[in-house]
Amino acid sequence: TETLGSCSSAPSTVTITIDPSPTYAIGTTSDPSSCGATDGSIELTGLDPSTSYDVSYDDGTGTVNLGTITTDASGNYVITGLDADTYSNITVTLGNCSVVQGPVTLTDPGAPTFTVSGTDPTTCGGTDGSITISGLTPSTSYDISYDDGGTTVNLGMVTTDGSGNYIITGLPAGSYDNFIVDLLGCIGTDASVV
């Protein structure tokens, strides 16, 4: 009520609307399926269902602005197409209000680790020598190569046995080294001479 002299005004009501900051949490994260792949993801949960937000984040190359996204009926949104990196300043904006989360780190699967051992041919000039590559994941396909006296031999895709071993057979006496085992782009090496 405002009073001036003997005059007074009727009471007035003023309504002020304050936009609340959006709230969300980091949900399920998914690492890339292979080294160098871009199929990782970060889920944002707890947002309003079927609502538009502006989303941005920082990665190893700078700020990525996704622009306006719309959450699903459960209030979730999944950022897809991510590689191995640390994602920080994950910013969700509604109107003029923002909230920041992170960092979230996505990693490539580990490079294969393995050991190499050899069995000599049974006779002079024989070709029944073998090399066993062990310690790999059982029943899994790998791309394997090695050097035979300075010449690279690429076995291509081979599958380990139920114990995680792969045996290279039919070898004569010689020097074999620079073993490379590739699992979906993740590369393990062993320079041992067998």
Side-chain angles (χ1 to χ4, degrees):
T1 303
E2 191 71 37
T3 303
L4 180 61
S6 61
C7 300
S8 58
S9 66
S12 63
T13 302
V14 176
T15 301
I16 299 174
T17 301
I18 300 174
D19 291 329
S21 292
T23 58
Y24 80 97
I26 301 295
T28 303
T29 61
S30 177
D31 291 326
S33 61
S34 62
C35 290
T38 57
D39 59 352
S41 63
I42 299 172
E43 180 185 39
L44 312 179
T45 64
L47 294 163
D48 291 333
S50 305
T51 302
S52 295
Y53 296 88
D54 289 325
V55 176
S56 66
Y57 58 85
D58 292 343
D59 64 10
T61 62
T63 299
V64 177
N65 187 349
L66 297 180
T68 302
I69 60 92
T70 302
T71 57
D72 64 18
S74 299
N76 302 325
Y77 180 76
V78 179
I79 302 171
T80 59
L82 303 177
D83 60 0
D85 206 340
T86 297
Y87 298 89
S88 59
N89 298 320
I90 303 170
T91 305
V92 175
T93 303
L94 179 63
N96 293 317
C97 300
S98 300
V99 65
V100 179
Q101 297 262 7
V104 173
T105 300
L106 302 182
T107 57
D108 282 329
T113 57
F114 59 94
T115 57
V116 177
S117 60
T119 301
D120 292 331
T122 55
T123 61
C124 184
T127 57
D128 60 346
S130 65
I131 295 172
T132 301
I133 301 172
S134 57
L136 298 170
T137 303
S139 305
T140 301
S141 294
Y142 295 89
D143 188 358
I144 297 178
S145 66
Y146 62 92
D147 285 353
D148 175 358
T151 300
T152 299
V153 177
N154 188 347
L155 299 178
M157 293 299 289
V158 298
T159 302
T160 56
D161 63 20
S163 298
N165 301 321
Y166 183 76
I167 301 172
I168 304 167
T169 59
L171 300 176
S175 293
Y176 303 91
D177 60 0
N178 294 324
F179 292 87
I180 298 173
V181 177
D182 183 336
L183 175 64
L184 302 172
C186 297
I187 298 173
T189 60
D190 187 330
S192 300
V193 177
V194 180

